[in-house]
Amino acid sequence: MVKMVVLLVRKESLDYEEFLTHWKEEHVPLVEDLPGVERYVTSHPTEPEKSAYDGVAEVYFEDMEQLGAAFDSEAGEALLADAEAFSDQDAGEVLYMEEETRFVAE
């Protein structure tokens, strides 16, 4: 399992609530359209005014090949275009990670 972790910074033209609204209402449905996506997790800071990032997105795929194919698709192109509409692409970070579950508490 691989995941793409995106550390999001909102565009200066948006306040925090506008950023969250766009992310949840406009962006999440576009992620659902990605071919091969297996899981999508979002997190946002409890105190955004004290955080370097406005949110974290984790997009899971079976492997890097599926991740690459997803973002090469029309759905992937639409998703990337939308990301530019509400987040500062130069200020954020993108990490590609192998995830291994060590344990799950019962």
Side-chain angles (χ1 to χ4, degrees):
M1 178 78 49
V2 298
K3 68 178 172 180
M4 181 175 75
V5 178
V6 183
L7 306 176
L8 294 159
V9 175
R10 66 184 160 89
K11 284 213 172 229
E12 285 188 29
S13 60
L14 300 175
D15 68 29
Y16 188 68
E17 290 305 317
E18 291 170 325
F19 165 81
L20 284 180
T21 298
H22 184 101
W23 189 10
K24 291 175 184 177
E25 295 178 8
E26 305 294 328
H27 199 71
V28 170
L30 296 174
V31 177
E32 291 177 32
D33 291 339
L34 283 177
V37 68
E38 295 199 3
R39 183 175 178 202
Y40 183 60
V41 177
T42 63
S43 304
H44 52 87
T46 55
E47 296 184 63
E49 65 282 352
K50 294 181 180 179
S51 179
Y53 299 100
D54 294 299
V56 178
E58 297 172 86
V59 190
Y60 291 77
F61 295 89
E62 183 62 34
D63 54 37
M64 287 300 292
E65 186 176 315
Q66 284 193 348
L67 186 153
F71 284 94
D72 286 340
S73 71
E74 285 185 30
E77 291 175 11
L79 179 70
L80 294 173
D82 185 66
E84 291 184 21
F86 78 105
S87 63
D88 182 339
Q89 299 294 288
D90 293 328
E93 301 274 344
V94 178
L95 307 165
Y96 300 95
M97 316 291 283
E98 286 278 344
E99 181 172 296
E100 296 178 25
T101 301
R102 300 296 181 194
F103 72 91
V104 176
E106 293 183 31

